[in-house]
Amino acid sequence: MSKKQNDYNRQKLILTKQVTEIIPTFNLKSFAHFDRPLSFGRYIEKDKSNTKIKYIITPESQNKIKQQINSLYLFLNSPEKITKHAFYPFIAFDIKDRRSNTINKIKYYEKKQFELSGDEKNKCTKILEELKKKGITKKRPIRYASHIDGYIYAHYASLLNEKYEKRIQELGLSDVVLAYRKLPPVLINNTEIRPNNCTMAKEVFEEIKKRENNCYALAFDIHSFYDYIDHQNLYKEWAKVLEVDKLPSDHLNIFRSLTKYCYIDLKEVCYYLNKDKEKPCTQADCAKCNKKIYRKIPKILFKNAEKFRRFKDWYKNFYKDTERKKFHKNEGFYATKPYGIPQGSAMSALLSNIYMIPFDFAMKNLADNVGGMYRRYCDDIMFICPHDEKIKEIIVSKIKEFIHERGESLEIHPIEEWDNYSKSQCYDFTNSIKIKQHPLQYLGFYFDGEKVRIREGSLAKYLRKSKRAVIAMKFNAIKKLINMHKQKIPIQDKQKKLYRHHLYEQYTHLGKRNFISYAYRTFDTVFNTSVIKQQIKNHQKRLNELIEQADNEILKTNEKIMKQST
């Protein structure tokens, strides 16, 4: 990064700190949406009095920034204005995750088809058909709010979070709920560590060791959790957290915006913005559109509300003969018992925890009564109980009962004894042979009663990410070489190789904030196992092989260009 860019970023950071001192929930982002982001970049100017390029913020700009900050602060802290606020539609897109073990799953179910009979065989066949239909990618629907709506959601999430923490402390649930909370530091080997997936998993694994592996570990998963959150129960728990009978008008407006929400697909926005260009989009192109869609749309979609209204009118006319003439809607809102909130807003995670308070309380009491341990990480539930078949059956039946009380549309994935890939599983730690073949999977780790290792899928995903980065940098290096040859610029040896600094910073232990450095820091103090270190070393070796391969391709390209020029 150049000194010029460093100086600019430094000024930007100073401005952001000034804002967060007044509005702690503020997060400076400039993603594409229907409204303009609160941006301070235009207030950072070049210092004309200095011969060197330097960026400053003039006193006049400082006053304008203060006015903007104060205006936003007064708006967020005015219930009357929030009550009357008209929320923009969400913009929707799907995150596609590659399921690396899909091939193994298909082979497993194909083999099981010949071993099973009756209902189990039918279930196996149905799962196999779905796997082949979906392929190796899994879609996760994301809905993200406009800039001003995002500020509102973040501010009210902060206010609600204080009330929520107070309530779960009163109910004795502080240790039970793990996700989307700022947990106090834990002491491990005389070192204070901020809680993370590693420390949370260690707590569960240590509990199993304390019981000398004479226990069941029951892992449950809630089917499409956010999509089926019951609105009536959410309203009740929201009001209880605020200690009121009815939601205040400002909270009620936010509640409606998250339950009776509508959204627009990002591809539809892209089509609208590119339809009048020399090479306009077609609907056929939109159906095939992938991540390149972000290159076709500007960071600011509409500079004012009038342009959004024009888009709204166009949308209504263009889709007048379809079901979505007034944007896509939350279909669950129109059910007999309305359900569903968007996944992606600043409040969704907290509201999911608030919604589950009665469930967490009932499960915690059940764990205390049977001598077990209960933990919940969003829609992943872990229950450790004594090795007793009756207790196990009680837990399985009770969890279905408790989740059904939360909402008729909510379902727990059933435990299938024959299915090693079922989302809900029963791990019998008294059967050491089976548990080593099929270890407990929890928060990205495997545990076989003795050893802990990182889930191979997590490392494979990280390696694929680093591979894509190497390929991108290789193409950039080759492109730069070609341009230098055309301009007859002398080429140094370092320009014939891949620029390694960024890769090592992002994908090795030399970087401060990445998966591998996190692994080295936490595993040394938390798990202290050679198995995990060996897994990380293998990742480093593969990355070096990819870099060497890219270097060879760059050298060959350079030699080829040299021969052509001579």
Side-chain angles (χ1 to χ4, degrees):
M1 191 179 286
S2 65
K3 288 183 179 179
K4 177 181 171 182
Q5 191 65 34
N6 265 330
D7 190 42
Y8 180 84
N9 288 339
R10 198 181 299 114
Q11 294 295 340
K12 204 172 180 180
L13 187 65
I14 291 167
L15 286 175
T16 307
K17 284 181 179 178
Q18 286 179 10
V19 182
T20 51
E21 283 176 6
I22 301 169
I23 308 170
T25 57
F26 179 81
N27 194 356
L28 184 62
K29 289 182 180 179
S30 57
F31 52 82
H33 219 291
F34 300 126
D35 63 337
R36 293 174 66 92
L38 188 65
S39 175
F40 304 114
R42 62 183 181 275
Y43 296 120
I44 302 171
E45 303 171 9
K46 287 182 182 178
D47 186 3
K48 294 176 182 177
S49 63
N50 203 321
T51 53
K52 293 181 181 180
I53 297 172
K54 192 176 180 182
Y55 287 91
I56 58 167
I57 304 163
T58 62
E60 186 182 349
S61 295
Q62 281 280 13
N63 290 331
K64 288 180 180 178
I65 291 164
K66 284 179 182 177
Q67 286 175 8
Q68 270 195 304
I69 297 168
N70 290 332
S71 177
L72 179 62
Y73 176 81
L74 291 171
F75 173 75
L76 293 175
N77 288 279
S78 172
E80 296 82 12
K81 289 181 179 178
I82 301 299
T83 301
K84 295 175 183 177
H85 178 72
F87 288 83
Y88 281 99
F90 288 88
I91 287 182
F93 67 94
D94 292 332
I95 291 178
K96 293 181 180 179
D97 291 327
R98 187 176 183 271
R99 298 184 293 183
S100 55
N101 63 342
T102 302
I103 295 169
N104 294 334
K105 284 184 180 181
I106 290 171
K107 287 179 180 177
Y108 173 81
Y109 290 118
E110 283 176 339
K111 185 181 176 182
K112 277 288 179 182
Q113 270 188 316
F114 298 102
E115 298 174 6
L116 301 171
S117 60
D119 290 340
E120 288 182 348
K121 185 173 183 177
N122 293 334
K123 287 177 184 177
C124 182
T125 306
K126 189 178 178 182
I127 293 169
L128 186 59
E129 287 173 357
E130 287 177 0
L131 279 173
K132 288 181 177 179
K133 186 179 177 181
K134 289 178 181 177
I136 61 170
T137 56
K138 179 185 177 183
K139 289 183 180 179
R140 188 157 61 93
I142 298 296
R143 317 276 184 255
Y144 68 99
S146 67
H147 298 283
I148 187 63
D149 296 348
Y151 301 145
I152 294 169
Y153 290 141
H155 178 69
Y156 274 78
S158 176
L159 298 177
L160 263 179
N161 188 59
E162 292 178 15
K163 303 275 186 180
Y164 169 72
E165 289 293 334
K166 181 185 173 184
R167 180 158 172 75
I168 62 169
Q169 282 179 12
E170 290 171 354
L171 296 172
L173 301 175
S174 295
D175 297 331
V176 164
V177 186
L178 306 177
Y180 315 125
R181 294 179 58 218
K182 287 184 179 180
L183 299 168
V186 291
L187 191 67
I188 297 176
N189 299 329
N190 296 322
T191 306
E192 276 196 351
I193 298 176
R194 186 179 174 182
N196 51 42
N197 285 18
C198 190
T199 58
M200 293 170 192
K202 181 183 172 67
E203 183 192 18
V204 170
F205 302 156
E206 288 296 324
E207 180 67 24
I208 293 168
K209 285 181 181 179
K210 282 179 187 176
R211 296 170 184 262
E212 298 178 346
N213 290 0
N214 185 28
C215 61
Y216 283 121
L218 302 171
F220 300 97
D221 183 86
I222 305 172
H223 174 64
S224 299
F225 181 40
Y226 286 94
D227 295 336
Y228 292 105
I229 286 177
D230 185 272
H231 292 173
Q232 189 177 357
N233 287 333
L234 176 62
Y235 182 97
K236 287 178 183 177
E237 292 308 315
W238 194 331
K240 283 181 182 177
V241 165
L242 292 175
E243 299 178 338
V244 294
D245 295 328
K246 292 182 179 180
L247 287 181
S249 56
D250 53 333
H251 284 262
L252 183 61
N253 193 28
I254 294 170
F255 172 80
R256 285 171 178 164
S257 75
L258 291 168
T259 52
K260 193 182 180 181
Y261 68 89
C262 61
Y263 62 92
I264 301 162
D265 197 294
L266 190 59
K267 291 177 185 177
E268 294 169 347
V269 178
C270 180
Y271 176 75
Y272 172 77
L273 294 171
N274 292 279
K275 63 183 173 60
D276 297 325
K277 292 189 176 179
E278 290 180 11
K279 291 183 178 179
C281 290
T282 65
Q283 285 189 300
D285 291 334
C286 285
K288 298 174 184 175
C289 206
N290 52 24
K291 288 183 180 177
K292 292 178 183 176
I293 189 171
Y294 292 103
R295 298 174 192 171
K296 298 179 183 178
I297 58 176
K299 281 191 176 179
I300 301 171
L301 298 182
F302 306 117
K303 292 184 178 179
N304 52 50
E306 177 60 33
K307 291 195 174 183
F308 173 70
R309 283 192 286 272
R310 285 182 207 164
F311 166 73
K312 194 175 178 181
D313 293 338
W314 168 85
Y315 193 99
K316 188 175 181 180
N317 291 326
F318 191 79
Y319 294 106
K320 62 183 177 182
D321 297 325
T322 66
E323 293 178 356
R324 50 180 173 169
K325 61 184 176 183
K326 291 185 178 178
F327 305 146
H328 302 269
K329 296 177 181 177
N330 172 24
E331 294 177 2
F333 182 82
Y334 301 95
T336 308
K337 289 194 173 181
Y339 57 81
I341 63 171
Q343 187 174 347
S345 80
M347 288 191 77
S348 298
L350 174 62
L351 291 179
S352 70
N353 278 344
I354 289 172
Y355 174 74
M356 293 293 279
I357 288 174
F359 177 85
D360 292 330
F361 185 71
M363 290 297 291
K364 173 71 165 55
N365 286 341
L366 178 62
D368 292 341
N369 292 335
V370 300
M373 175 188 183
Y374 164 70
R375 295 291 182 270
R376 182 178 64 82
Y377 191 99
C378 190
D379 58 351
D380 291 326
I381 296 161
M382 178 58 62
F383 205 110
I384 311 296
C385 70
H387 192 269
D388 186 305
E389 196 64 30
K390 287 183 179 179
I391 291 175
K392 175 190 152 187
E393 288 175 5
I394 290 169
I395 293 164
V396 172
S397 64
K398 284 291 182 183
I399 195 169
K400 289 178 182 176
E401 179 188 323
F402 296 152
I403 203 71
H404 190 71
E405 287 174 1
R406 287 285 76 216
E408 290 182 5
S409 302
L410 280 178
E411 289 181 9
I412 293 281
H413 285 283
I415 293 175
E416 303 288 357
E417 298 292 343
W418 58 270
D419 188 357
N420 287 347
Y421 286 100
S422 174
K423 290 189 176 180
S424 294
Q425 291 281 339
C426 173
Y427 300 93
D428 184 354
F429 276 87
T430 61
N431 189 339
S432 58
I433 297 171
K434 188 177 179 181
I435 206 70
K436 286 187 185 297
Q437 292 173 346
H438 182 54
L440 167 64
Q441 181 181 328
Y442 186 60
L443 298 183
F445 301 95
Y446 285 124
F447 179 62
D448 63 4
E450 295 177 7
K451 296 178 181 176
V452 180
R453 71 177 193 272
I454 306 171
R455 193 168 66 90
E456 283 78 6
S458 301
L459 278 171
K461 186 178 179 181
Y462 199 69
L463 182 66
R464 284 196 300 274
K465 191 177 177 182
S466 60
K467 188 177 180 179
R468 287 195 295 269
V470 169
I471 292 168
M473 292 188 77
K474 178 189 72 177
F475 281 124
N476 288 336
I478 290 171
K479 191 177 178 181
K480 189 177 179 181
L481 271 177
I482 293 168
N483 289 332
M484 289 177 78
H485 275 289
K486 283 180 181 177
Q487 297 172 25
K488 296 182 179 180
I489 300 171
I491 296 168
Q492 300 176 8
D493 288 339
K494 66 179 182 180
Q495 289 162 335
K496 297 174 187 176
K497 291 183 178 181
L498 213 62
Y499 183 65
R500 287 159 165 71
H501 180 79
H502 175 74
L503 290 170
Y504 287 148
E505 186 74 23
Q506 292 292 321
Y507 302 106
T508 72
H509 65 283
L510 298 173
K512 293 180 180 179
R513 295 182 65 118
N514 62 56
F515 180 76
I516 301 300
S517 59
Y518 152 78
Y520 270 111
R521 280 197 311 272
T522 55
F523 300 149
D524 282 343
T525 52
V526 179
F527 289 125
N528 194 20
T529 169
S530 58
V531 178
I532 290 174
K533 285 189 177 180
Q534 189 59 44
Q535 286 181 293
I536 299 168
K537 283 180 182 177
N538 290 337
H539 169 84
Q540 181 77 41
K541 286 177 185 176
R542 292 190 192 102
L543 180 62
N544 286 334
E545 286 170 6
L546 290 170
I547 292 172
E548 285 176 20
Q549 189 180 345
D551 283 346
N552 292 332
E553 289 183 36
I554 294 167
L555 283 170
K556 284 178 183 178
T557 305
N558 186 58
E559 289 170 6
K560 190 177 178 181
I561 297 168
M562 292 285 285
K563 284 179 183 179
Q564 288 174 352
S565 61
T566 54

